[in-house]
Amino acid sequence: MNNRTLIIGSGLAGITLVRELRKLDKEREIIVITADDGVFYSKPNLSNAFAANKRPEEMVLTPAVKLEHDLGILIMAHTAVARIDAGRREVVCTQGTLAYDQLVLAVGASQIPLPLAGDGVPDAISINSLADYARLRSRLAGKRSVAIVGAGLIGCEFANDLRLGDFAVDVYDQIEQPMGRLLPPVAAQQLRDKLTAIGVGFHLGARLEAIRRDGERYILIDSQGNARPYDLVLSAIGLRPNLALAKTAALATGLGIVTDAFLRTSDPNIYALGDCVELGGLFLPYVMPIMLGAKKLAGTLTGNPEPVTYPAMPIVLKTPACPTVVSPPPSPLGHWDETVSADGLRALFVDQASGQPSGFVVQGSFTKERMALAALMPNLSA
Ligand SMILES: Cc1cc2nc3c(=O)[nH]c(=O)nc-3n(C[C@H](O)[C@H](O)[C@H](O)COP(=O)(O)OP(=O)(O)OC[C@H]3O[C@@H](n4cnc5c(N)ncnc54)[C@H](O)[C@@H]3O)c2cc1C
């Protein structure tokens, strides 16, 4: 009999799944084990919290005790799971061994370590949790300048936010344009121009080599020999799914924990949800796939299996200097058709095989078209 659902991870994936499960089943035993403190907060808000001068405590949406009470669950906080024994259906954590009938891995992803030399590298900070945000705020107290390594989505959002928070901000990337993987050059240039206009500095197209400590400061050294000092280095070079736990159970892994369309891993009693998942070759570390997946997975875990299909899921950048919405195409083969006006841009990605639009970017006044355009896009997954 399936009676105990064990969920590892209390991020958006873990807690949204609990909420969906409780809509369908008020009785089953649900235990959430989490390495962090188990509070519920909105991670996307971390990259626009500085300008609003949000204290970390203000960002807590639901304390762990309230989640336990409202949802009728047990949260084992500050408890890291070290190993899964899939044969015995048990997990081994810092507080002992726990049996499960169904196990869900909602263990998220971690920042890729900075591949740089120098004694300043360990002090670089990355933001992937509320605790990281609290650390960032305390490290920045009384400081003025920040170097952001990585001009992707998160790097650009923090650049905008920290600049609005009155910090001097420079962004570094070896790629020649911000958000190089998601935006066509003309849209990337718009984003760069608008961020530059509010005072963000860009150092693009040169490889960073080292971060060296210099007293209280950090010197960034690039391959062209430039050396610039900053009070803090923020790393935003991307995320990598957390696979270590899945590997202890010899689950199939690739870029992420490999699942089928039911979010089932290679073990029939173990599922995965959120930033740790690879489904159909896709790694989608965003909110929408979690919301859609949690609903379907709750059905599957309660005996009504339904496959997950991902529609086009536009991503809204939190860069108020340059409002931008991106719906990445499922395949990179094709070309961009751009319409540029004085107050914005629309770029449609035309798929090479079908000749139809399969992705888009809208900026400025064109962002109001995002819902209508999203409805025209093909599904991301079958
Ligand atoms: C700064 C920032 C801004 C973002 N903005 C947006 C946005 O605007 N729009 C958007 O769609 N997406 C955005 N995202 C992405 C989105 O926030 C994530 O996709 C989502 O929060 C991931 O949730 P998760 O539950 O999968 O992972 P996490 O939130 O990482 O949760 C993982 C959980 O697993 C636990 N855990 C891990 N390993 C273990 C272990 N061995 N034992 C016990 N517990 C363990 C952790 O403690 C944690 O509770 C943003 C992300 C960041 C970092």
Side-chain angles (χ1 to χ4, degrees):
M1 191 174 87
N2 290 342
N3 52 13
R4 177 186 279 174
T5 302
L6 207 59
I7 300 173
I8 305 178
S10 62
L12 184 69
I15 298 304
T16 306
L17 176 62
V18 173
R19 291 198 166 114
E20 292 296 337
L21 271 172
R22 276 292 178 247
K23 289 181 194 166
L24 303 175
D25 183 344
K26 306 263 183 265
E27 303 300 329
R28 77 170 49 207
E29 182 184 10
I30 301 176
I31 300 177
V32 175
I33 308 181
T34 181
D36 59 38
D37 57 7
V39 306
F40 187 66
Y41 67 98
S42 166
K43 193 184 281 194
N45 286 347
L46 298 180
S47 50
N48 61 357
F50 251 94
N53 196 21
K54 287 268 186 195
R55 285 178 288 113
E57 315 82 80
E58 291 178 90
M59 302 192 65
V60 174
L61 297 174
T62 320
V65 277
K66 183 159 168 50
L67 287 172
E68 289 186 311
H69 175 266
D70 293 354
L71 296 167
I73 59 173
L74 171 68
I75 297 180
M76 295 171 63
H78 304 294
T79 304
V81 178
R83 194 161 56 78
I84 301 165
D85 185 334
R88 299 168 70 100
R89 292 200 208 168
E90 286 176 354
V91 301
V92 180
C93 58
T94 36
Q95 296 183 13
T97 298
L98 221 66
Y100 63 83
D101 296 291
Q102 299 161 323
L103 177 66
V104 180
L105 303 180
V107 292
S110 298
Q111 283 285 337
I112 297 168
L114 274 176
L116 302 177
D119 57 358
V121 173
D123 291 353
I125 195 162
S126 57
I127 309 298
N128 191 31
S129 68
L130 190 52
D132 291 338
Y133 173 72
R135 238 184 327 274
L136 176 68
R137 274 183 64 100
S138 73
R139 290 268 308 274
L140 276 177
K143 308 286 188 196
R144 286 271 39 90
S145 63
V146 181
I148 297 177
V149 184
L153 184 146
I154 301 288
C156 288
E157 289 188 350
F158 273 111
N160 199 147
D161 194 50
L162 289 169
R163 188 68 206 102
L164 291 177
D166 219 20
F167 291 90
V169 180
D170 278 355
V171 180
Y172 287 78
D173 204 306
Q174 58 191 359
I175 298 178
E176 297 277 354
Q177 61 170 51
M179 292 192 56
R181 288 178 200 87
L182 285 178
L183 298 184
V186 62
Q189 190 61 46
Q190 289 251 21
L191 178 63
R192 180 178 179 165
D193 290 348
K194 300 280 186 187
L195 288 173
T196 302
I198 62 163
V200 174
F202 281 96
H203 301 286
L204 304 179
R207 201 163 42 81
L208 270 181
E209 301 219 310
I211 305 173
R212 302 218 186 285
R213 290 195 67 149
D214 178 23
E216 292 281 287
R217 309 197 82 194
Y218 300 93
I219 313 289
L220 263 67
I221 301 163
D222 70 22
S223 55
Q224 295 164 356
N226 298 302
R228 300 182 190 90
Y230 298 93
D231 292 327
L232 184 126
V233 181
L234 180 64
S235 169
I237 63 168
L239 294 174
R240 199 156 58 190
N242 292 324
L243 302 181
L245 201 51
K247 286 184 175 171
T248 66
L251 301 181
T253 57
L255 187 54
I257 302 171
V258 174
T259 73
D260 63 14
F262 297 90
L263 294 168
R264 191 171 15 226
T265 70
S266 53
D267 181 295
N269 302 306
I270 306 179
Y271 299 79
L273 181 68
D275 281 8
C276 58
V277 167
E278 176 186 335
L279 194 168
L282 295 171
F283 166 53
L284 300 169
Y286 304 110
V287 169
M288 276 302 288
I290 292 175
M291 306 312 281
L292 294 171
K295 210 179 237 324
K296 296 294 172 83
L297 181 53
T300 297
L301 294 176
T302 52
N304 292 303
E306 258 195 274
V308 178
T309 48
Y310 293 134
M313 294 177 282
I315 303 156
V316 180
L317 264 73
K318 298 183 291 295
T319 47
C322 183
T324 300
V325 182
V326 186
S327 183
S331 157
L333 298 178
H335 68 274
W336 289 99
D337 265 354
E338 290 124 356
T339 307
V340 183
S341 78
D343 57 355
L345 165 153
R346 178 202 310 114
L348 287 181
F349 190 82
V350 181
D351 181 66
Q352 185 172 292
S354 68
Q356 297 298 314
S358 62
F360 67 85
V361 174
V362 280
Q363 291 180 318
S365 62
F366 287 94
T367 53
K368 62 179 181 295
E369 297 179 3
R370 65 181 185 273
M371 301 301 281
L373 286 171
L376 300 176
M377 298 297 131
N379 282 349
L380 276 183
S381 69

